[in-house]
Amino acid sequence: MVPPPPSPVPSPFQPRPSASLRPAVLWDRVTLTCQGLGTAGATTWYKDGQLWGQQGLDHLSVTESGTYTCDRPGSGHSPPVRVLDDELVLQVPARALLEGDTVTLRCRGRQDNPDTRVRFYQEEKDLWGSLRGTELSLSPLQLHHSGHYSCSGLVRAFHSRSAAVTVTVHGVPLSGVSLSAQPPRGQVALGDRLVLSCTVAAGSGPLSFSWHRKGSGALLGTSPHLELHHVGDKDNSQYRCRVTNGDSMAESDPLNVTVLVPVANATIIPSPPSHQVRAGDPVTLRCSVQVGSAPVTFIWLHNGKEVAQGPLLELRDIDVGHSGTYQCMATNQLGQDGYRMFQALSPDLALEPTAWDTEKHRVTVAAGVSAALLFLLLLVGVIVAWHRWHRLAARKQQERAPPDPPAPPEEGEVLYTHVVVTKRAGASPRATTLQHPQVTNAELRGPQGRPREPGDIYGNVL
């Protein structure tokens, strides 16, 4: 960083001659004062590089010509101050000379004796055209006025020439460095062109510019303008401008550059799908974009007319009045004033809700009930038929099986009954009517020798 120019007010650590011109002269009764950050009363004085005067004093009355400095522990040496005792001395104001100021150089003889035929020189160049008696006025000061000046003239009839005095013209300290952008506020669309400009409210001299981006040590440019072509996402950052004039440096406040991505590829997603929409159903349409920097606004169009805003469009109890085409328009913008707008219009979405036919619906329901009843009847018939078939098969199986052998008779059981048919006298041999059959029984004792009960008799009629 280039140090700022000397201040018109003496710095805290600098000898202060009593005169406001330099170099000082003995006949002005020069007193030097040492100011600094060290301990008061610990001052050391030097003349022409050698210890001089009483140590520990902050003030020194000069009695001899020479170059004086002072020192305090921990603070270092002060800038030098020249004190002259020549016959002819050229003096300039003991302050910082800034570009644009007015300065007067004075050519003085010893004890202020009048001098005549005074001429001024800059680097041995005669400046006679600027003579005004014993003074030379330079106004307005410019950088090319810097250099070594001297004067000559007659003092008490003797020709004399002064020692050279260095005049340094400083540029005006820089201040008020600011940035501006086009587009305004540094908001630029992706792929567009951005121009940043650096301006200085106050300052002079040859100005040098440098551009810097936060997070990058690379130098972006050295002119008052920085132009970025085809801005990309990487250009989202803070930018600063620094300005120097050789004597001072100033820096602008940071400017935020925002790269905005325009909205694109707007689409509508219906729920349920549009081909399944029935009258009386609720339908929700959602609009979204593939790309686009926030904030993004959405406007819904029904048959070309705006009907709602927001990313969702909810249709409750839909009917044939909702039929038609739907579109959503997504927008975002550059700048709060919307000086540049971006839009993306979705493809058309056709919505044709199907109306319910009452008679057709009634017939369809009736047909559905009849089909259900028929199915139940068929099911019952199948079950009954299967059951009958199963019983018939079981019966046939029993008929095919051989009869079980008779169980052995118990005691007292009637083994058989034999009926003897006898012909009646005079009856026809073809008669089939049985007349008074004769029955004989055979009886066995039952268990334990008891006779069978009448009800226990079994027999067959032959």
Side-chain angles (χ1 to χ4, degrees):
M1 176 177 176
V2 179
S7 171
V9 179
S11 65
F13 187 64
Q14 180 177 343
R16 299 175 62 188
S18 59
S20 60
L21 298 174
R22 61 181 177 88
V25 292
L26 283 178
W27 60 81
D28 284 334
R29 297 181 182 181
V30 178
T31 299
L32 302 179
T33 300
C34 190
Q35 296 178 339
L37 301 178
T39 304
T43 303
T44 301
W45 290 95
Y46 299 88
K47 174 181 175 291
D48 299 327
Q50 303 296 321
L51 289 174
W52 183 259
Q54 184 177 353
Q55 305 302 306
L57 299 179
D58 294 332
H59 305 281
L60 177 66
S61 295
V62 179
T63 57
E64 295 184 10
S65 63
T67 301
Y68 292 84
T69 59
C70 69
D71 175 78
R72 279 186 178 178
S75 298
H77 284 272
S78 70
V81 172
R82 290 176 63 193
V83 179
L84 299 180
D85 192 23
D86 299 341
E87 290 294 328
L88 197 63
V89 177
L90 178 64
Q91 291 182 312
V92 299
R95 61 179 176 81
L97 304 179
L98 301 179
E99 189 176 7
D101 288 351
T102 296
V103 66
T104 299
L105 282 62
R106 294 179 59 190
C107 191
R108 299 175 62 190
R110 180 192 291 272
Q111 302 295 336
D112 285 334
N113 287 320
D115 51 342
T116 58
R117 295 185 180 181
V118 176
R119 303 185 75 86
F120 292 86
Y121 305 90
Q122 180 188 14
E123 311 292 354
E124 302 301 327
K125 179 183 178 182
D126 192 345
L127 303 177
W128 60 271
S130 302
L131 287 177
R132 290 184 180 179
T134 59
E135 296 181 348
L136 174 65
S137 178
L138 301 177
S139 178
L141 276 178
Q142 299 179 16
L143 294 179
H144 69 265
H145 287 137
S146 297
H148 298 90
Y149 288 78
S150 61
C151 67
S152 66
L154 294 177
V155 180
R156 292 182 294 186
F158 293 96
H159 185 271
S160 297
R161 183 163 178 170
S162 70
V165 176
T166 300
V167 174
T168 302
V169 180
H170 299 277
V172 176
L174 298 170
S175 62
V177 178
S178 60
L179 287 184
S180 60
Q182 185 59 38
R185 293 180 291 277
Q187 295 185 347
V188 58
L190 185 70
D192 280 2
R193 173 174 169 264
L194 174 69
V195 178
L196 302 178
S197 299
C198 185
T199 57
V200 181
S204 61
L207 302 181
S208 298
F209 296 84
S210 62
W211 291 92
H212 307 271
R213 180 168 57 201
K214 183 178 180 180
S216 173
L219 181 64
L220 303 179
T222 57
S223 71
H225 306 284
L226 176 65
E227 187 171 346
L228 302 178
H229 298 277
H230 305 293
V231 172
D233 291 335
K234 63 180 180 61
D235 296 313
N236 265 314
S237 188
Q238 284 187 347
Y239 291 79
R240 291 179 183 269
C241 170
R242 293 175 186 167
V243 186
T244 62
N245 62 359
D247 294 311
S248 63
M249 186 274 289
E251 187 176 69
S252 69
D253 291 332
L255 175 69
N256 289 316
V257 170
T258 303
V259 179
L260 180 138
V261 179
V263 291
N265 298 335
T267 57
I268 299 176
I269 301 176
S271 179
S274 57
H275 64 276
Q276 298 179 2
V277 174
R278 299 283 184 179
D281 290 347
V283 175
T284 299
L285 304 181
R286 179 184 298 273
C287 186
S288 62
V289 293
Q290 185 177 14
V291 293
S293 298
V296 178
T297 60
F298 299 91
I299 297 176
W300 289 94
L301 305 176
H302 178 212
N303 295 330
K305 294 182 180 180
E306 181 178 343
V307 292
Q309 294 184 356
L312 294 179
L313 178 61
E314 295 184 350
L315 305 175
R316 302 182 185 277
D317 298 327
I318 195 168
D319 55 30
V320 293
H322 294 100
S323 299
T325 58
Y326 288 83
Q327 286 181 296
C328 76
M329 182 170 58
T331 62
N332 60 357
Q333 64 185 30
L334 284 178
Q336 295 179 353
D337 53 356
Y339 74 94
R340 188 173 177 191
M341 302 284 294
F342 301 95
Q343 295 181 349
L345 192 62
S346 71
D348 291 347
L349 174 70
L351 193 63
E352 296 294 338
T354 302
W356 290 97
D357 189 332
T358 305
E359 294 299 327
K360 181 178 179 180
H361 177 64
R362 186 178 301 141
V363 171
T364 302
V365 172
V369 173
S370 300
L373 292 176
L374 179 60
F375 174 77
L376 290 176
L377 291 176
L378 290 175
L379 181 61
V380 171
V382 170
I383 294 174
V384 171
W386 178 85
H387 184 68
R388 290 181 177 178
W389 175 83
H390 183 71
R391 291 178 60 186
L392 182 60
R395 183 179 298 172
K396 290 183 177 180
Q397 185 175 3
Q398 290 178 358
E399 291 177 352
R400 293 194 190 100
D404 294 334
E410 294 184 4
E411 290 184 5
E413 287 184 334
V414 178
L415 296 178
Y416 63 89
T417 299
H418 182 69
V419 179
V420 178
V421 180
T422 58
K423 294 183 180 179
R424 191 179 55 180
S428 172
R430 297 184 180 266
T432 58
T433 301
L434 296 180
Q435 299 261 341
H436 306 288
Q438 294 181 2
V439 179
T440 61
N441 296 324
E443 182 180 354
L444 295 179
R445 294 286 180 175
Q448 301 177 357
R450 71 172 181 85
R452 278 284 196 181
E453 296 293 333
D456 292 336
I457 296 175
Y458 299 91
N460 293 319
V461 178
L462 299 178

